Amino acid sequence: MEIDKNQLLRFTTAGSVDDGKSTLIGRLLYDSKAIFEDQLEAVTATSKRKGHEGVDLALFTDGLRDEREQGITIDVAYRYFTTPKRKFIIADTPGHIQYTRNMVTGASTANAALILIDARHGVIEQTKRHAFIASLLQIPHVIVCVNKMDLVDYSENVYNEIVSQFEEFSSKLYVKDIRFLPMSALDGDNVVNRSTNMNWYQGAPLLHTLETLHISSDLNKIDARFPVQTVLRPQREGYIDYRGYAGRIASGIFRPGDEIVVMPSGFSSKVKSIDTEKGALEEAFAPMSVSITLEDDIDVSRGDMIVKINNQAKAVQEFDAMICWFNNTAARPRAKYTIVHTSNEQKAMIKNVVYKIDINTYSRIEDNDNLEMNDISRITIKTTRPIMADEYRDNRVTGSFILIDNTTHETVAAGMII
């Protein structure tokens, strides 16, 4: 299978404190030669100042000074690197329970999640929490990295026991693809290069797995959804009558001649052309940004959605969703918020808290409608006007939204439509 060299893979890392997430990413960057010389010099100097014999790999990702000084990760640190086979964006998220919202943020757009487990400790509550969030966010691929194998003498039995523990509880989760990998991030075993200490493991090292992970089928190519961001009226020579609807295709494929419906108005037409900066296209697909013109002059504005006539989104004003509460201030019962769903913004109200989830045990907490920071909950939302949505499990773009506090303008929650 040939991999598109320009294809972008987003992955997130998760694990308990000191499981070695930052060291693993540092090793990935270091061994794949993705470190700039000035970065290497700065980290080498910091490592010496802290009394380390070699380079402290974790410092490549702990970009904030507070993190470097304390040796911990407290925010979502994004890193970019490229190999000859693929481009990558890494979201390095904190392991502490009080940073659940940070993991949700970092994982929301990820193709894959790396869940680290310390080989000495095996599956712990944090492992279950991170696996649950990966499942909740419908991350298509999960790679379970059993790290620090050097501290258990590279024992195959220890590794097999951890795999068994993880499989036992993950059978209750909805994850399409789970893979397991024994490694030592500190020594580089099975990160970029194959380990000579674990000949019993016949799989590929982590970088090769990430480079060859098949992610093309992760996109929804069936449900054509085009949220309109703006209307283009150039009013200049050659474009006097041009009226295009610009935005990013959320899912599916559009072609000239397609019969479409504009939601929520219900007006129908056909796609006349699909235009880009470089010229017209015969077809366009997610996540391309394009301008679509229609055969008929109908009323279309920002927040509307163009869909195929025989495959429409649901126009809903009241719906259930799973949300993660981000804010220090608890949710106010029946308070008004602004919901941002694709390009559609409007007022919304949390009508009801159905239940909260104890993400350590996966059990439901009912009769408790007090939403506080890092809580994950099922709620009912009512909006002032319809939004055009799909279930999150079918479409991660049109099935997700954020809530914004009207007073402080802070993002207070992220949600997934059920």
Side-chain angles (χ1 to χ4, degrees):
M1 178 186 63
E2 193 172 329
I3 300 292
D4 179 0
K5 291 181 173 58
N6 292 314
Q7 194 176 50
L8 176 66
L9 174 78
R10 297 171 184 266
F11 67 92
T12 183
T13 60
S16 187
V17 182
D18 294 331
D19 276 349
K21 298 183 302 297
S22 297
T23 302
L24 171 60
I25 296 169
R27 174 62 69 187
L28 261 179
L29 298 172
Y30 188 70
D31 282 5
S32 62
K33 309 291 190 288
I35 303 289
F36 291 117
E37 279 188 27
D38 57 340
Q39 272 183 300
L40 186 56
E41 287 170 8
V43 167
T44 303
T46 305
S47 300
K48 280 183 181 174
R49 195 171 69 246
K50 292 174 74 174
H52 296 293
E53 288 182 17
V55 176
D56 184 354
L57 297 167
L59 298 179
F60 288 122
T61 54
D62 289 340
L64 301 175
R65 183 167 182 179
D66 285 349
E67 294 177 343
R68 287 203 298 268
E69 296 304 320
Q70 295 179 58
I72 60 168
T73 305
I74 58 175
D75 202 352
V76 182
Y78 291 97
R79 288 294 175 271
Y80 308 83
F81 77 104
T82 304
T83 70
K85 293 186 179 176
R86 192 171 252 170
K87 297 174 182 176
F88 299 93
I89 296 179
I90 313 166
D92 181 22
T93 60
H96 308 64
I97 184 169
Q98 66 265 39
Y99 296 117
T100 298
R101 62 176 184 167
N102 301 57
M103 184 186 169
V104 170
T105 302
S108 59
T109 57
N111 303 101
L114 271 53
I115 297 179
L116 269 75
I117 297 176
D118 187 322
R120 297 169 300 172
H121 305 144
V123 171
I124 58 175
E125 277 190 2
Q126 283 283 66
T127 313
K128 294 180 180 180
R129 182 179 302 119
H130 294 141
F132 175 79
I133 294 171
S135 169
L136 182 72
L137 291 168
Q138 302 279 295
I139 299 176
H141 309 279
V142 170
I143 302 171
V144 181
C145 302
V146 183
N147 192 26
K148 304 193 179 183
M149 288 296 294
D150 53 311
L151 300 182
V152 293
D153 296 324
Y154 304 102
S155 166
E156 183 178 7
N157 289 336
V158 169
Y159 169 72
N160 288 338
E161 176 60 27
I162 291 171
V163 170
S164 177
Q165 287 174 7
F166 193 95
E167 286 179 334
E168 185 180 340
F169 79 86
S170 65
S171 60
K172 303 169 191 170
L173 304 176
Y174 184 78
V175 181
K176 297 174 188 171
D177 174 29
I178 300 180
R179 305 169 188 222
F180 297 90
L181 192 68
M183 63 170 57
S184 167
L186 189 65
D187 296 334
D189 291 278
N190 280 340
V191 180
V192 171
N193 304 309
R194 186 183 290 277
S195 171
T196 55
N197 295 307
M198 291 178 278
N199 292 326
W200 45 265
Y201 176 74
Q202 297 301 310
L206 177 62
L207 183 61
H208 183 269
T209 303
L210 293 170
E211 285 179 332
T212 56
L213 207 58
H214 181 65
I215 59 172
S216 297
S217 57
D218 296 345
L219 288 170
N220 182 329
K221 296 191 176 78
I222 298 167
D223 304 316
R225 307 283 186 261
F226 183 72
V228 176
Q229 288 186 12
T230 189
V231 180
L232 300 181
R233 298 292 305 274
Q235 299 288 298
R236 67 172 192 264
E237 191 176 342
Y239 294 93
I240 295 298
D241 297 320
Y242 187 90
R243 187 183 183 91
Y245 308 108
R248 173 179 284 185
I249 298 173
S251 59
I253 301 170
F254 287 90
R255 299 181 180 89
D258 283 346
E259 294 187 4
I260 61 90
V261 170
V262 178
M263 299 184 70
S265 67
F267 293 130
S268 60
S269 184
K270 285 186 178 180
V271 175
K272 183 178 179 182
S273 69
I274 301 172
D275 303 317
T276 68
E277 188 183 17
K278 296 179 180 176
L281 300 175
E282 286 305 307
E283 70 171 25
F285 46 85
M288 294 170 66
S289 295
V290 298
S291 170
I292 289 180
T293 66
L294 303 178
E295 297 279 6
D296 304 285
D297 188 12
I298 56 180
D299 184 20
V300 184
S301 57
R302 178 180 171 84
D304 291 348
M305 187 178 288
I306 296 174
V307 301
K308 298 277 186 73
I309 202 162
N310 58 354
N311 180 343
Q312 300 183 26
K314 292 177 184 171
V316 292
Q317 264 187 278
E318 190 172 309
F319 55 90
D320 277 14
M322 299 298 298
I323 67 158
C324 178
W325 194 257
F326 286 177
N327 205 253
N328 284 310
T329 306
R332 302 186 305 280
R334 305 188 78 80
K336 298 287 194 304
Y337 296 95
T338 295
I339 185 170
V340 180
H341 172 266
T342 64
S343 58
N344 192 341
E345 290 185 30
Q346 55 181 284
K347 296 294 182 283
M349 176 181 72
I350 298 175
K351 188 177 177 185
N352 181 34
V353 176
V354 183
Y355 57 78
K356 290 174 27 174
I357 288 182
D358 182 331
I359 54 176
N360 294 322
T361 63
Y362 303 167
S363 59
R364 297 178 181 183
I365 305 167
E366 296 178 346
D367 302 321
N368 183 343
D369 57 3
N370 187 29
L371 285 182
E372 297 182 331
M373 188 162 69
N374 295 315
D375 278 350
I376 290 177
S377 173
R378 178 169 179 156
I379 63 171
T380 304
I381 290 184
K382 188 174 179 63
T383 59
T384 51
R385 298 189 312 278
I387 64 168
M388 285 60 71
D390 297 287
E391 290 185 19
Y392 184 81
R393 66 181 179 186
D394 297 326
N395 196 320
R396 289 174 79 187
V397 179
T398 57
S400 60
F401 62 88
I402 59 171
L403 294 178
I404 295 174
D405 187 292
N406 292 332
T407 307
T408 63
H409 305 294
E410 292 178 330
T411 300
V412 295
M416 294 139 280
I417 297 167
I418 299 172

